[in-house]
Amino acid sequence: MSAASEEVSDVTAHGREPTLKRVLGPKLLLLFIVGDILGAGVYAVTGTMAGTVGGIVWLPFLLAFVVATLTAFSYLELVTQYPQAAGAALYTHKAFGIHFVTFLVAFAVVCSGITSASTSANVLAQNLFGGLEINGWMGKPGQGVITAVALGFMLLLAAVNLRGVGESVKFNVVLTVVEMAALCIVIGVGFFVMAQGTGNPGEIFVFNDSQDKGLFLAVTAATSIAFFAMVGFEDSVNMVEETRNPEKIFPRTMLTGLGIAVLLYMLVAVSVVSVLTPTELEGIREAEGAALLEVVHKGSPDFPIDKVFPFLAVFAVANTALINMLMASRLIYGMARQHVLPRPLGKVLPVRRTPWAGIAFSTVLALGLILYVTSDPESNIVANLSGTTAFLLLCVFTVVNVACLVLRRKRDPHRKVFFTSPGPLPLVAAILCAFLAGPWVGRNIIQYQIAGGLMAIGVILWLITWLINRRTNDGDRVDS
């Protein structure tokens, strides 16, 4: 069937409201997943992890990959059975049928994506002006100018998003290629230093317990931190209605994307440990993005990294923000189509066939969050963001893994099965996710406070949605 006929059938099959345009093939989907996983996470957490466990910083990345992959199996089983854009919230509703729980899961995912994108926009503006300042092209701007650029960037993302997912994902391809190039620079410098015999390859298997936690607790804490760098694969399920033949291409593409990401992460970790001394590793614990910058600066002093790397970081955080806003708008669209959010939020542009209402709603929230997070210049935005985002998503993943087990029992025996998570893996994944979400991993109390505040907002929004649904008699019309 031609692309044109596909578009016509998509519109006519659903009557008045057009559906989303299926433009993603396996290559674009793979780049979307890889770009989303890589994101700003590796820049933000590598230094903290290295300061926690020393030379074995690669191990938490590997363990986080294992937990993420086990959860990805559950997502793949569910997305091939229910190829709709609502993702985790849809699976929760089909498994438990409780609107309140469904809305909280949806709100947690949306909020984590929007908060991440909002903060990434602010970090992007800071890095942009930092690069301009280092190169002597302008002086240090005030916080108001930085905030204005961050707000403008979010509006630019909204415009790209409204233009269409094809354009959005093509923009993502460019950002992902640049982002991977930046990580390859770090990896190349690390292996160059080792080849010259001036590195510290022996430190790769050395555990440095600088916080006196012991091996198990230190690695557990670092794995919890590393998990922030592994999230992103779950965003792709919200693009399922814009993917061609999702039942066939999703399993292989998602697992390939996870494999590429963890390979790059482990190579970056090896490079960091090989170039920096144990004392330097401990010293970069609180430096949010200094680990990779320091590796290239020390390993290749003749390379003008101080003048180049801030702009590479701009591309990294821009990529994260773009994909997070794509995910948030599609999730809002999907939940509105399922009548868990107000139906007007599911509106689609007739010509461009993009979810304009979901894009507008998520952008307004993002603009408000940017103003909020920049109101306190003393706060550690990246640490609070990564910890809270990881906590919220670990809770969501726990629910999704349990939902996978529940829906497996409800499965129609006559319905074709495209992918099944092996045996009890969803239960194992649920236990591991719940464990990493607990306070025993050393998570800062403020992260639980932020998450609790977000869930309180979620309860208020659920009540408003419930009243609207009841007034319009949509409360029990969730698609089966």
Side-chain angles (χ1 to χ4, degrees), residues 357-376:
I359 294 169
F361 182 74
S362 58
T363 301
V364 169
L365 286 180
L367 296 177
L369 282 169
I370 289 175
L371 295 174
Y372 174 76
V373 298
T374 57
S375 62
D376 182 9

Side-chain angles (χ1 to χ4, degrees), residues 399-419:
V399 175
V400 168
N401 283 305
V402 174
C404 182
L405 293 172
V406 173
L407 290 173
R408 183 180 292 178
R409 296 172 184 171
K410 297 181 178 181
R411 182 185 296 171
D412 183 354
H414 302 293
R415 186 174 182 179
K416 184 177 180 180
V417 177
F418 294 92
F419 185 91

Side-chain angles (χ1 to χ4, degrees), residues 248-389:
K248 294 183 179 180
I249 73 171
F250 249 92
R252 180 177 66 252
T253 306
M254 182 182 288
L255 295 177
T256 301
L258 278 166
I260 292 173
V262 73
L263 177 62
L264 287 173
Y265 283 170
M266 293 182 67
L267 291 175
V268 166
V270 169
S271 298
V272 170
V273 173
S274 300
V275 174
L276 303 182
T277 65
T279 302
E280 290 170 332
L281 289 176
E282 186 175 350
I284 62 175
R285 181 198 314 279
E286 299 300 328
E288 296 174 354
L292 307 190
L293 174 62
E294 185 62 25
V295 166
V296 184
H297 179 70
K298 181 180 179 181
S300 183
D302 295 329
F303 188 76
I305 188 60
D306 290 338
K307 297 184 177 181
V308 175
F309 212 83
F311 299 110
L312 298 180
V314 164
F315 283 101
V317 297
N319 202 23
T320 300
L322 172 63
I323 297 179
N324 280 328
M325 294 306 288
L326 277 170
M327 175 274 295
S329 61
R330 269 60 182 181
L331 179 53
I332 291 169
Y333 158 83
M335 294 311 300
R337 300 278 284 199
Q338 290 292 318
H339 307 286
V340 178
L341 286 175
R343 292 183 65 184
L345 291 177
K347 294 294 183 181
V348 176
L349 282 177
V351 178
R352 300 305 308 178
R353 291 167 59 187
T354 50
W356 69 264
I359 294 169
F361 182 74
S362 58
T363 301
V364 169
L365 286 180
L367 296 177
L369 282 169
I370 289 175
L371 295 174
Y372 174 76
V373 298
T374 57
S375 62
D376 182 9
E378 305 263 337
S379 64
N380 191 329
I381 295 173
V382 172
N384 292 340
L385 164 70
S386 61
T388 305
T389 303

Side-chain angles (χ1 to χ4, degrees), residues 59-103:
L59 180 58
F61 277 128
L62 180 60
L63 295 176
F65 165 74
V66 171
V67 177
T69 302
L70 294 180
T71 300
F73 283 150
S74 296
Y75 268 95
L76 289 172
E77 178 173 334
L78 294 170
V79 75
T80 53
Q81 285 293 305
Y82 309 102
Q84 300 170 39
L90 173 64
Y91 313 144
T92 301
H93 191 82
K94 288 188 176 294
F96 308 111
I98 304 174
H99 286 263
F100 179 69
V101 176
T102 300
F103 190 88

